[in-house]
Amino acid sequence: MIDAEERFRTLYDAHRLAVFSYFARRFGAESASDLAAEVFTVAWRRIGDVPAGDAALLWLYGAARNVGSHHRRRLSRSTRLRLRVASMAPLAVSDEPDASAIRTDELRRVRQAAARLRESDQEILRLAAWEELPHVQIAQLLDVSVAAVDQRIHRAKKRLATEFQRVMSSQTRSGGGDGS
Amino acid sequence: MRDADEVFGLFREADPMWTASDPEHQPSDPSPIIAAASDATERPPLQPSGATGQPPRAWRGPLIAAGTFVAVVVAVGLGSWLFGSSGTGSPIASDELSLPATTHADAGITLPTSETTGPQTANSDLVVVPELVGLTVFQARAKVEEAGMTLVVPPNLTGDAVVATQDPVAGLEAASGSSVAVEWESAATTTMPDDRGDTWVAPDPPDGWASGLSIGFVPDGFVYEESEGHETATFHVFVSTDGARRFGVGRQWSPPPYPFVGDEIDRDGRTFTVIPDEVRVLEEVGGRVRIEVVSSSLDAETLMRIAVGVTYDPARDLPFSDDG
């Protein structure tokens, strides 16, 4: 029991932030703590199953995916909508945009574009871009081949670019309108 | 026109965890973790590509301990529905179990800024240190947070521990955000499972239902009684014989929906609304207590009380479902 506890503490210590971040990115910081704690609850109860070393984080991400999809189902329609809308917050149109404001706008728009993709596309892009997982690990996590991951990411990127283009042009038409 | 890789590069940068310059996408209620992260590191360790997994040293100390506790915290929070009261004036109703909203952010993962006992450069506002001696964990934490300071609570503290000494002492001025170190009295430290009470394992769920959390280990002075089933859960009520600490712990079964804040649940011909961070006693009948639904986000203090007596059967798991 001591060993298990020690292992758990080490695990928690090393990966708490990564797991928290995983949820904060997807559901916001408010529920991230609870969800992260759910993952570590599972980890505690299955501490014997948690692989040693670097694979542990991947295991935790696997648990996080399950907890996350559970959570998503638990959310009411309205909450999901709210999350979605939050990711599509309207752009602040500045008269004299400086470089950093433009950058901020772009980041917002790319998130907006991503929010329009189907969930599986979003997730694989997030795993690659935000969790910075290499394709090999994403493949393990999703239980598909590396080639499939390569292809899915490739397609998701293209769809993201398309949506991004759409967001950009719709914003120019309806919102900003300085026509530059 | 940007190509896909460029857009993907933008997306990479758009990570909500690190785009601090974008206030609209900052979480509205930043958790202490985020605060700590931005203080401690520019880009916290996410161990990309299976790197070395270096833990964030800056907040290591107090959190190790918190880790163990978290396991208990959420397990209870998730799996247990405490049946709350519509106000029949039970002695343990709100004042003992329900907690101020200010503490709720601490719920699963407590991240006190404890390593900085001294003034913090970031925030040099001075606050007056409150008197804590004699207070319970819950009371002390509330006071400390009210004052704008932090309190480090060891995870294995029992619910009845009180503050014996504090540093800095009451009345002194201290930097806002700094922490108060306290020693606890009668804090018989308990780790997770110990040898008190009987172990009780919840009955098997019906066929085709995944097992939710189960309860083991009923503390001394508690007996349990199984109440009637429910569409998605079976509730068990623990009754204290000493009258001091009573709580209900329910075992939840899949399939979902799990209740969450705002849901309305019909039970016994009455409708209950799931509320956040509140544990209320519904009624007491012949020395028994019924407690109805709360959210899954119980705060640390409430759970600390519960955690003293409840642990989990590791043989049972949360349902591990496929991504839908």
Side-chain angles (χ1 to χ4, degrees), chain A residues 8-9 12-13 16-17 25 30 34 37 45 54 66 69 73-74 89 103 106 108 111 130 132 157, chain B residues 2 5 11 13-15 22 24 28 43-44 50-51 59-60 67-68 74 109 213 260 297 320-321 323:
Chain A
F8 177 80
R9 288 178 183 195
Y12 177 74
D13 206 27
R16 161 178 40 79
L17 180 63
R25 287 170 176 135
E30 284 157 43
D34 284 349
R45 283 164 47 264
D54 297 341
N66 285 318
S69 65
R73 279 197 291 266
R74 210 151 57 185
R103 196 66 178 166
E106 283 186 339
R108 220 176 280 170
R111 265 195 297 253
W130 295 350
E132 299 183 17
K157 278 181 182 176
Chain B
R2 286 195 156 88
D5 282 327
F11 179 70
E13 261 185 72
D15 183 346
D22 184 2
E24 282 185 41
S28 57
R43 174 138 188 156
W59 353 307
R60 194 177 171 127
T68 316
V74 187
I109 299 183
L213 295 166
F260 60 98
S297 56
F320 247 57
S321 58
D323 200 358

Side-chain angles (χ1 to χ4, degrees), chain B residues 75-304:
Chain B
V76 174
L78 225 207
S80 54
W81 302 5
L82 306 189
F83 267 24
S85 155
S86 51
T88 40
S90 140
I92 68 169
S94 338
D95 43 23
E96 186 162 320
L97 287 178
S98 77
L99 290 139
T102 51
T103 60
H104 120 271
D106 285 345
I109 299 183
T110 312
L111 280 183
T113 55
S114 63
E115 304 216 332
T116 51
T117 356
Q120 292 183 332
T121 48
N123 186 350
S124 56
D125 294 346
L126 291 179
V127 296
V128 177
V129 179
E131 172 70 53
L132 303 178
V133 174
L135 301 184
T136 63
V137 177
F138 161 60
Q139 294 164 328
R141 167 99 81 168
K143 276 216 158 182
V144 166
E145 289 186 350
E146 196 179 309
M149 301 181 71
T150 59
L151 179 69
V152 182
V153 179
N156 52 0
L157 203 61
T158 56
D160 52 0
V162 295
V163 176
T165 64
Q166 66 177 93
D167 176 29
V169 297
L172 288 184
E173 287 190 331
S176 172
S178 63
S179 66
V180 187
V182 297
E183 284 180 13
W184 301 93
E185 206 166 51
S186 84
T189 54
T190 52
T191 50
M192 283 210 205
D194 70 19
D195 56 0
R196 297 185 302 152
D198 298 316
T199 295
W200 168 74
V201 177
D204 285 334
D207 284 349
W209 287 25
S211 168
L213 295 166
S214 63
I215 312 298
F217 188 56
V218 182
D220 278 347
F222 286 73
V223 295
Y224 76 89
E225 172 191 330
E226 188 172 339
S227 68
E228 67 267 62
H230 182 270
E231 187 181 320
T232 58
T234 294
F235 298 92
H236 305 277
V237 179
F238 293 84
V239 181
S240 164
T241 53
D242 65 11
R245 295 192 302 171
R246 289 167 291 195
F247 48 84
V249 176
R251 173 173 177 216
Q252 183 160 6
W253 283 336
S254 266
Y258 294 140
F260 60 98
V261 176
D263 267 0
E264 290 193 339
I265 291 178
D266 287 326
R267 194 165 159 73
D268 299 343
R270 297 164 69 183
T271 301
F272 299 96
T273 302
V274 181
I275 49 172
D277 295 321
E278 201 164 346
V279 180
R280 288 184 306 177
V281 173
L282 175 60
E283 61 188 0
E284 291 183 277
V285 182
R288 292 186 178 141
V289 50
R290 284 203 327 144
I291 307 170
E292 185 106 47
V293 177
V294 292
S295 77
S296 63
S297 56
L298 294 180
D299 60 277
E301 280 78 11
T302 301
L303 286 156
M304 190 172 295

